[in-house]
């Protein structure tokens, strides 16, 4: 399943897809899915057709867990859960599991997604708890991360929630060591950058990520949760929402999204073949470096507003000095095989999402297009 | 996408898969998925890679809704939702949406799945409501459906819940007209037989079904809900659980399971090409007739315990007079390309799940095998 020169060519023959998610998947993974779609693993059936409790699928999910643990270096005292409902379900599930009556939780607001997490916590958590905003950069349009001295963390908080990569605003947290309170479980929405680089899992109480960026198809959410945070759910919450119930049942309280787990398992194998997260980080770093340099070196024709030290390596939003040109930029790019560059409707502009599956060639093609566009309209 | 002689051959060349779910899918559907896996609908991307909010996927989900409405004859005053979490999520979602404080709901228990629905309702619904068991055939091992005069329905109940096909116990409700209270919204778990035959949607307030039997891959749950039952959710439930929020957002409050919806849309098209539900019902009726006849005509070697008038056309459980032979039956069948015939662990024995995608040839192959096995061991 190596991404050989041949498969890179076949990818180039298709298009470069800058969608924020569901997003580009490695061509080698798609080819493998295609090749075994009607006969998986010698079963004579497609992987979509086999029982989740059969020995073949059980082996698959066990290997997926082991490969993910190897990629991220997940310590023994963490459980990996394969759930449904995306990050949005976690926005509700986290307070319902981890925030007992009489307690409070801290939320750092660094963009649209951490704001949604806070809103949903306030919606579901009830009147006997307090959901605190421990810091926000809303007044600066989310163009930076609050400094340590701007974060008002409650020492007694049950947890501290943050989004370590904001898909819409293009802000990524790199230095969580210095920023966040120690002693309080750190809960991180890593939906749009999990698996893009090594992380120190042991810094976190719980990590979660919707699959549809760097992991696999939509409909799967990965939760990595420390043992001591399992078993604290409020009584009477839906069984599916209880981390203890899901952990006891190996994520199979009911039928899990088997095809999405299978596709994710192939992505894990592909990443291991690429050299794991240190290797993919090198490529991602270079992709981001080239693209931000092209923006910064455009003499103001293109502009990214985010503080350089927290610019996301995954989601690169930018605007044109003449915003009236943006629809033409997006449309002409599409005609050139550079898809899905439209910024999120809440912020407008352009956004290039450049997840693991986006090859360096895609970045170079985008930069070439940007220079050409500037020549014609600048 | 017609199931031509060629594709039937390729199916036969594979295996016959009697899995209760995830289950066999039509070969023609799998072939189409395979053929367009890297380039769907001329986009240059796989369907897994495109944005759920783009015009291509929006057109897909709109067509899926229209095709499902056409197949089932869904009236205008119903909404079709594509959700996650399977039927198990609905077990919680239904009382959280439809059962206000001070009220009660009736549950008919006709097998393991309706029992689970009742248990989960009791878990989540709280102390200010009553979850009633309006009738049960547990004492008869769920081998029949309660008669009308055995059902104790509360006239004031907010709804009456039933499972119209019990996947484990092989009991199917055919005559809901006579059986159930009128005036109370009827809520039906149709997970394992939706789309196997025409139904009268207007008899129901809400119908739900996990996809992984007759519809598509696991990870998708279809909910068909009457307008007047939308907008009654308890305050403070997770946004994902509120039918009104999901309906307002066209099932896209967050990223839906796009690949599963795509696969389901192909199954809907395949069913329409087969002649719709009246045509598939004819085949399903004949498949069930042949298999039950083989059991009943075995002189007691094979035995199905369910009352003939409510025997499921989808899930056919049976035992061998000499239960010690069952492991050998299951293993030898597997070697003959007849897969996943083991009964559910809670009841043991054999179970043949014969959903829409199982061709008549698969039934005949199973019957041939049963006769041969009886000859050798009978």
């Amino acid at each position: 399943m190596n991404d050989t020169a041949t498969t890179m060519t076949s990818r180039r023959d298709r298009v470069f897809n800058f969608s924020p998610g569901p997003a580009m998947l490695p061509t080698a993974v798609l080819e493998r899915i295609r090749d075994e779609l009607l006969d998986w693993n010698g079963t004579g059936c497609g992987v979509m057709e086999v029982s989740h409790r059969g020995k073949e699928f059980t082996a698959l999910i066990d290997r997926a867990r082991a490969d993910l643990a190897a990629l991220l270096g997940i310590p023994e005292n963490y459980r990996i859960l394969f759930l449904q409902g995306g990050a949005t379900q976690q926005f509700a599930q986290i307070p319902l599991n981890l925030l007992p009556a009489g307690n409070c939780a801290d939320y750092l607001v660094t963009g649209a997604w951490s704001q949604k997490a806070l809103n949903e916590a306030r919606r579901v958590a009830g009147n006997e708890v307090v959901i605190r905003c421990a810091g926000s950069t809303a007044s600066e349009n989310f163009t930076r991360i609050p400094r340590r001295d701007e974060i008002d963390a409650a020492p007694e908080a049950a947890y501290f929630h943050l989004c370590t990569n904001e898909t819409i605003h293009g802000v990524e947290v790199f230095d969580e060591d210095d920023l966040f309170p120690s002693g309080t479980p750190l809960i991180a929405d890593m939906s749009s950058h999990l698996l893009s680089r090594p992380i120190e899992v042991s810094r976190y109480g719980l990590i979660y990520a919707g699959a549809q960026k760097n992991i696999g198809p939509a409909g799967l959410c990965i939760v990595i949760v420390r043992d001591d945070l399992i078993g604290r759910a409020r009584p009477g919450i839906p069984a599916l929402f209880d981390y203890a119930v899901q952990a006891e049942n190996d994520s199979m309280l009911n039928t899990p999204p088997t095809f999405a787990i299978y596709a994710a398992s192939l992505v894990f194998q592909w990443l291991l073949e690429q050299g794991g997260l240190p290797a993919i980080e090198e490529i991602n770093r270079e992709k981001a470096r080239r693209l931000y340099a092209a923006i910064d070196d455009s003499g103001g024709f293109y502009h990214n507003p985010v503080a350089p030290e927290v610019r996301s390596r995954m989601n690169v939003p930018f605007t044109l000095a003449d915003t009236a040109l943006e629809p033409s930029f997006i449309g002409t790019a599409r005609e050139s095989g550079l898809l899905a560059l439209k910024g999120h409707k809440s912020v407008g502009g352009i956004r290039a999402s450049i997840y693991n599956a986006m090859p360096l060639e895609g970045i170079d093609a985008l930069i070439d297009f940007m220079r050409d566009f500037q020549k014609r309209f600048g």
Side-chain angles (χ1 to χ4, degrees), chain A:
Chain A
M1 213 170 56
N2 287 300
D3 235 2
T4 60
T6 317
T7 61
M8 294 310 287
T9 304
S10 82
R11 166 64 75 184
R12 251 204 317 281
D13 288 349
R14 293 161 64 217
V15 294
F16 294 114
N17 173 9
F18 295 89
S19 173
M24 204 164 173
L25 288 166
T27 305
V29 167
L30 290 177
E31 288 172 340
R32 169 120 175 231
I33 295 172
R34 178 196 63 199
D35 293 346
E36 59 194 28
L37 200 88
L38 280 86
D39 186 2
W40 168 71
N41 202 23
T43 57
C45 309
V47 69
M48 275 177 273
E49 303 177 294
V50 302
S51 169
H52 54 297
R53 304 203 189 273
K55 67 176 175 357
E56 292 91 356
F57 192 81
T58 307
L60 182 156
I61 200 169
D62 286 346
R63 173 158 182 199
R65 255 189 232 102
D67 285 347
L68 182 62
L71 282 165
L72 285 166
I74 300 175
E76 290 284 324
N77 61 326
Y78 284 74
R79 293 293 296 264
I80 297 169
L81 306 178
F82 296 109
L83 305 183
Q84 298 186 52
T88 300
Q89 181 171 311
Q90 294 309 307
F91 296 165
Q93 206 168 328
I94 287 161
L96 293 177
N97 276 267
L98 301 179
L99 186 51
N103 217 318
C104 72
D106 279 329
Y107 280 72
L108 190 69
V109 178
T110 54
W113 287 100
S114 48
Q115 181 68 59
K116 279 180 194 242
L118 181 150
N119 293 351
E120 182 71 0
R122 289 204 168 137
R123 177 185 164 107
V124 305
N127 297 324
E128 293 171 27
V129 298
V130 179
I131 304 293
R132 302 174 72 250
C133 176
S136 170
T137 47
S139 64
E140 293 168 66
N141 292 319
F142 302 122
T143 49
R144 63 180 185 90
I145 302 288
R147 295 185 309 273
R148 183 74 185 87
D149 62 4
E150 295 173 309
I151 295 175
D152 168 34
E156 75 279 15
Y159 60 83
F160 185 99
H161 181 280
L162 75 162
C163 175
T164 46
N165 187 69
E166 289 280 358
T167 321
I168 293 175
H169 291 91
V171 182
E172 184 167 358
V173 174
F174 293 99
D175 290 320
E176 63 269 49
D177 289 31
D178 302 326
L179 270 176
F180 305 112
S182 61
T184 306
L186 213 53
I187 311 284
D189 177 357
M190 298 197 182
S191 292
S192 48
H193 74 156
L194 188 70
L195 298 184
S196 70
R197 56 180 169 92
I199 52 165
E200 192 65 55
V201 173
S202 66
R203 309 214 114 263
Y204 297 89
L206 187 151
I207 291 166
Y208 63 102
Q212 66 273 13
K213 283 90 161 62
N214 270 320
I215 300 168
L220 171 66
C221 182
I222 288 178
V223 174
I224 302 162
V225 54
R226 210 172 58 207
D227 280 346
D228 63 296
L229 298 177
I230 297 174
R232 302 185 179 190
R234 298 189 189 177
I237 71 169
L240 279 178
F241 270 44
D242 187 329
Y243 294 130
V245 173
Q246 291 285 13
E248 279 158 24
N249 286 280
D250 286 330
S251 309
M252 293 202 200
L253 172 67
N254 66 341
T255 314
T258 52
F259 178 80
I261 293 170
Y262 154 75
S265 79
L266 296 182
V267 170
F268 301 157
Q269 289 172 42
W270 176 81
L271 276 170
L272 289 166
E273 288 166 9
Q274 307 301 302
L277 302 191
I280 206 81
E281 179 181 34
E282 277 312 296
I283 301 169
N284 285 332
R285 194 192 297 268
E286 178 61 15
K287 280 154 56 183
R289 191 195 64 73
R290 289 190 196 182
L291 184 50
Y292 283 112
I295 292 167
D296 293 343
D297 296 347
S298 70
F301 188 81
Y302 302 109
H303 176 67
N304 169 281
V306 177
E309 68 279 11
V310 292
R311 282 174 164 181
S312 169
R313 289 188 198 140
M314 295 287 103
N315 308 98
V316 182
F318 59 95
T319 50
L320 273 64
D322 179 359
T323 55
L325 285 173
E326 287 170 358
S328 161
F329 179 96
I330 295 159
T332 319
R334 187 188 307 119
E335 286 159 22
S336 311
L338 306 170
L339 304 189
L341 283 162
K342 196 173 176 179
H344 190 268
K345 59 178 189 276
S346 63
V347 294
I350 316 293
R351 174 175 48 172
S353 294
I354 53 174
Y355 301 118
N356 288 346
M358 174 64 65
L360 205 48
E361 289 86 338
I363 305 296
D364 290 341
L366 174 57
I367 292 170
D368 286 347
F369 174 81
M370 288 166 67
R371 291 194 177 133
D372 186 58
F373 189 87
Q374 184 173 0
K375 245 180 242 163
R376 287 162 63 201
F377 297 99

